[in-house]
Amino acid sequence: MIYRHFIAPPRAFTQFSHDLIRHPRLSSDAVRLLTWQLSLPPGTRESLSRTAERARIGGCAFTRAKRQLKDEGFVHERRLQGPGGLWVTQQLVSNVPLSGAEALKLLAQMPVGPAGTTTTERAAPPPQLAPGRRSPAVGEPTPPPTDGCPPQDQEGNTSNQPPKPPAPEPQAAQPDGDDNAPAESHLTAARALVDAFPALSPDLRHIPRAMRTELTKLTACWLAAGHPPTAVRTHILRSLPDDGSPVRRPGGLLRHLLHDVPPPPPPGPAATAPPHADDHPHLSSRLAGTRECAGDHVQPLLFRPVDDETHCLRCR
């Protein structure tokens, strides 16, 4: 049995609806981001990204929380040109979900800040604006609202509105589609590579087991594009934080790092045999007769060849 005891704060408090706190489609980060914004004093212009930094919400978690708030109508954004022709971003945060038309009326009343900045306004809907048809507690999420730019046939100057995005090409390539599915050999190599990710760094020890399949498909796309396993490991190690900050969601970080596959490097000159350690007289005498392995290693590996082999015993 649970007993609850409440002591009303004498000052500095904000009232929130139970529907907002118990919203079934908002994560804890989204609720914290929204309540933090609504608790700021009137007139405070703090962007959502700055609030996420103060609330210690990571980059991936902030992107997911912001998308949820926009899908549910609690956050609206639009870009427009300010003085000097530079673009600014306006953000509207409300304590109830608003439709695109309702948010546009409120955004039209906001002053445009300096060019190149982001301005944020927290506002509840005025009495003449009824809340949107979306319910915060039930129903399916609706698509995010538009950016609020006037249509082409509306009166007035529309020369500054952003260009329309190009229409998507039919049958766009998908990483997990049947036509572009990685070969079984790539999946096998990617599976072994993903299983070895926790050994690369202590930050990657706790990768959720449920994400292994998704990470395997993403890694297989890198291998199918022509990247060797060494390039995949090097890309991950270079992207880990080097300031001592912990990685709270290693699976999400790996998914973000492997999502976009860059083009493979151009082929270089013909590979030559690795140099013998005897060619470097400055090395220690203990390394005499050793040779660098030409196999796939994270760091250079020296071995002592029996004949003229160029790969160590493990690679052979």
Side-chain angles (χ1 to χ4, degrees):
M1 183 176 294
I2 299 177
Y3 297 93
R4 298 178 178 84
H5 178 64
F6 297 93
I7 299 178
R11 61 180 183 84
F13 66 93
T14 307
Q15 292 182 345
F16 298 107
S17 170
H18 292 172
D19 292 338
L20 189 153
I21 300 177
R22 304 171 186 171
H23 200 291
R25 292 183 299 275
L26 294 182
S27 63
S28 59
D29 291 330
V31 174
R32 178 170 174 80
L33 186 65
L34 179 59
T35 54
W36 190 303
Q37 274 279 330
L38 296 175
S39 66
L40 296 176
T44 303
R45 296 187 178 273
E46 179 177 297
S47 62
L48 293 173
S49 58
R50 173 55 182 161
T51 299
E53 293 178 2
R54 295 177 59 190
R56 296 185 178 181
I57 301 176
C60 296
F62 166 66
T63 302
R64 183 166 52 251
K66 182 180 176 181
R67 182 175 63 249
Q68 293 175 358
L69 293 174
K70 293 177 68 174
D71 290 343
E72 298 302 324
F74 292 100
V75 171
H76 293 267
E77 281 186 334
R78 73 167 181 173
R79 286 179 57 80
L80 71 162
Q81 285 184 314
L86 298 179
W87 290 92
V88 297
T89 301
Q90 288 183 319
Q91 296 176 336
L92 175 66
V93 181
S94 61
N95 63 339
V96 294
L98 300 178
S99 65
E102 295 167 345
L104 182 58
K105 292 182 180 180
L106 293 175
L107 286 171
Q109 303 173 7
M110 293 174 53
V112 180
T117 62
T118 300
T119 59
T120 306
E121 187 73 17
R122 292 158 303 281
Q128 66 272 17
L129 292 179
R133 288 180 293 178
R134 289 171 292 185
S135 174
V138 295
E140 295 296 331
T142 57
T146 60
D147 57 0
C149 292
Q152 292 285 351
D153 56 352
Q154 184 174 344
E155 296 181 0
N157 182 13
T158 59
S159 59
N160 291 331
Q161 73 177 28
K164 292 185 178 180
E169 298 181 0
Q171 299 181 354
Q174 297 293 336
D176 53 353
D178 295 338
D179 297 337
N180 298 306
E184 185 63 29
S185 59
H186 293 149
L187 288 175
T188 302
R191 192 175 297 109
L193 192 57
V194 171
D195 292 340
F197 280 168
L200 294 178
S201 172
D203 294 330
L204 304 178
R205 290 178 180 175
H206 304 290
I207 301 176
R209 185 173 298 274
M211 298 187 63
R212 296 291 180 93
T213 302
E214 181 181 4
L215 295 177
T216 299
K217 292 181 179 179
L218 295 175
T219 305
C221 293
W222 280 67
L223 300 180
H227 296 278
T230 304
V232 179
R233 289 192 290 261
T234 302
H235 172 68
I236 293 175
L237 290 175
R238 288 177 178 176
S239 303
L240 293 177
D242 55 358
D243 55 355
S245 57
V247 177
R248 303 186 183 277
R249 295 178 177 85
L253 175 62
L254 289 175
R255 178 173 55 191
H256 172 72
L257 296 177
L258 299 174
H259 184 270
D260 296 328
V261 182
T272 58
H276 244 286
D278 297 340
D279 299 336
H280 302 278
H282 63 277
L283 294 179
S284 173
S285 58
R286 295 186 307 159
L287 301 180
T290 60
R291 170 178 291 175
E292 181 181 343
C293 178
D296 181 18
H297 298 280
V298 178
Q299 296 181 351
L301 176 67
L302 297 179
F303 73 101
R304 195 176 304 277
V306 178
D307 197 357
D308 291 334
E309 61 268 20
T310 58
H311 290 74
C312 64
L313 180 62
R314 178 180 178 183
C315 293
R316 295 199 302 270

